[in-house]
Amino acid sequence: MTGYQPRHASAPSPRGHEPEGCLTVAVRLPVRVVMFVLVLPVRLVWDGLVAAGRAFRRGVLGPVGRALSWLGRVLLVTPARWTWHRLVVPLGRGLAVVFRWTVTALFVWPWAALWRYVLLPVGRGAGWLGRGLAAAGAFLGRVLVVVPVTWVHTRLLVPLARAVGRGCGLLGRYLFVLPAVLLWRHVLAPAGRGTGLALAWLWRWLVAAPAAALHRYVLVPLGRAVVAAVRGTGAVLLLLGRYLLVVPLVALYRWVLAPAGRGLALVVREIAAAAAVAWRVTGRVTAFLLRGAGRVLYVLLVAPLIGLWRHVLAPFGRVLRGWVWQPVAAACRAAGRALRSAGYSVRSALRAARASVRSARAEIRRALFGVPRSREREPLP
């Protein structure tokens, strides 16, 4: 296919090399011209919005975002971090220590003392008393109950039960078992055999033989006739459905719907391809126009600003930094170092004075009151 092809177009089908019809070629050129005319304003507006958005992001949103980030870090993050590390964390640690000691003094130590000095001794005494009572009860139960019951069971109940069991076994054998065996062997078994033979003969000639004859000579021929009638009816209905429904529907699809669908698909495909080609071509046109407008803006606005910055503001900034800012910063740093060294010397002098005062106070206390006795604090439970 001749003409401009977009880069993002799909791969050609295996039948793409086949010659195309005159209808396709006749539809393609007008559709592409119309789509180019329709798409060009849309592409111009789209590319203009994209360029404006990029410029707005680079020139406005980026600096504003960086400024807001710096302000947030200076005004919020740094004070919040200092407050957390210098105030909240030490205060929380102190409150945690106070709460732990309070809970220990109010709940742990009283319950530990109660357990150690009250409940544990009472429990041990109750355990000893319970074990003694259990031993005494076991001894009394063994002497007063177990030994007499064992003697009665061994000497009286076991021989009596054996004798009664033998007598009942002999009575049951001669009164029930032997008569029942004789009755079954000589009366019930012969009667059952004769009754079974009679019932089997009656079932064979009164039920089985008539049922077999009914199935063979009545039901089987009737079923075959019903199956033949159903098959014939189904064949007739199948022929009627084929020539009254299927054949007209196939003809409608083959000669009406399929050509209309192919034409509609051709139109839609050509419109989509023309839109893609017009989008690409208008993109190049708008890129050329925007590039020219950008060059004009650069020559009229950006180049003078760059020259002003490069030849006026930057040299003035370097002179200001070298002759004003750096000497002032060096003087401030020297003053800060001097102040820090003076502060270190003052703090060291104060520490030495506090140490000498503590030692003098300790000497006076020892001279007046003597050496105090060391008192060891008993650990709490």
Side-chain angles (χ1 to χ4, degrees):
M1 181 177 66
T2 60
Y4 176 75
Q5 289 292 334
R7 287 185 297 176
H8 59 273
S10 60
S13 61
R15 299 191 306 173
H17 298 286
E18 296 179 0
E20 298 177 349
C22 59
L23 180 61
T24 303
V25 177
V27 169
R28 181 174 301 159
L29 185 60
V31 168
R32 290 193 175 184
V33 172
V34 172
M35 291 304 297
F36 180 80
V37 174
L38 294 176
V39 170
L40 180 59
V42 178
R43 187 59 187 263
L44 284 172
V45 174
W46 174 259
D47 290 341
L49 293 176
V50 170
R54 289 175 180 173
F56 183 73
R57 184 186 63 183
R58 293 176 181 175
V60 178
L61 294 182
V64 170
R66 287 191 291 270
L68 292 178
S69 176
W70 181 80
L71 287 176
R73 185 170 62 253
V74 171
L75 297 178
L76 296 177
V77 177
T78 303
R81 184 181 299 170
W82 184 87
T83 304
W84 174 261
H85 288 290
R86 300 298 181 183
L87 297 178
V88 177
V89 173
L91 181 61
R93 289 175 180 172
L95 292 177
V97 171
V98 172
F99 180 75
R100 185 172 65 249
W101 280 98
T102 304
V103 170
T104 304
L106 293 179
F107 296 100
V108 177
W109 290 342
W111 288 106
L114 178 65
W115 170 260
R116 181 175 296 178
Y117 299 110
V118 178
L119 296 179
L120 191 60
V122 171
R124 289 174 180 173
W128 293 340
L129 180 61
R131 285 194 293 270
L133 293 176
F139 176 75
L140 291 176
R142 181 180 180 185
V143 172
L144 297 178
V145 177
V146 176
V147 174
V149 170
T150 303
W151 184 85
V152 169
H153 179 269
T154 304
R155 302 297 180 181
L156 296 179
L157 295 179
V158 173
L160 181 62
R162 289 176 180 173
V164 172
R166 291 194 186 97
C168 291
L170 291 174
L171 289 176
R173 180 179 181 183
Y174 289 104
L175 290 180
F176 295 101
V177 177
L178 290 178
V181 169
L182 294 175
L183 178 63
W184 170 261
R185 184 177 295 173
H186 298 288
V187 177
L188 296 179
R193 293 190 190 96
T195 304
L197 292 175
L199 291 176
W201 185 84
L202 292 175
W203 173 263
R204 179 180 180 183
W205 295 107
L206 295 180
V207 177
L214 178 65
H215 178 267
R216 180 177 297 176
Y217 299 108
V218 176
L219 296 179
V220 171
L222 182 61
R224 291 175 180 174
V226 171
V227 169
V230 170
R231 287 180 178 176
T233 305
V236 172
L237 293 177
L238 183 61
L239 291 175
L240 291 176
R242 179 179 180 182
Y243 288 103
L244 292 179
L245 294 177
V246 178
V247 173
L249 290 177
V250 169
L252 177 64
Y253 173 77
R254 182 177 297 175
W255 302 107
V256 178
L257 297 180
R262 293 191 189 98
L264 183 61
L266 173 64
V267 172
V268 172
R269 185 171 64 250
E270 291 300 327
I271 290 174
V277 172
W279 186 261
R280 293 286 306 201
V281 173
T282 53
R284 293 189 177 185
V285 173
T286 55
F288 176 75
L289 295 177
L290 291 177
R291 194 179 297 115
R295 186 64 181 175
V296 172
L297 292 176
Y298 178 80
V299 171
L300 295 178
L301 296 178
V302 179
L305 293 176
I306 290 175
L308 177 64
W309 170 260
R310 184 176 297 172
H311 300 291
V312 178
L313 297 178
F316 178 74
R318 293 190 190 98
V319 171
L320 182 64
R321 182 183 61 186
W323 292 93
V324 178
W325 179 254
Q326 289 180 354
V328 172
C332 292
R333 283 196 293 271
R337 285 194 292 269
L339 290 175
R340 281 196 296 272
S341 62
Y344 292 152
S345 61
V346 170
R347 281 196 293 271
S348 62
L350 290 176
R351 282 196 293 270
R354 281 197 297 269
S356 62
V357 169
R358 288 196 192 96
S359 63
R361 187 172 56 191
E363 292 294 335
I364 293 171
R365 188 185 297 113
R366 281 195 294 270
L368 293 177
F369 301 104
V371 179
R373 293 181 300 172
S374 62
R375 293 179 300 176
E376 296 181 357
R377 181 180 293 178
E378 296 181 357
L380 291 173

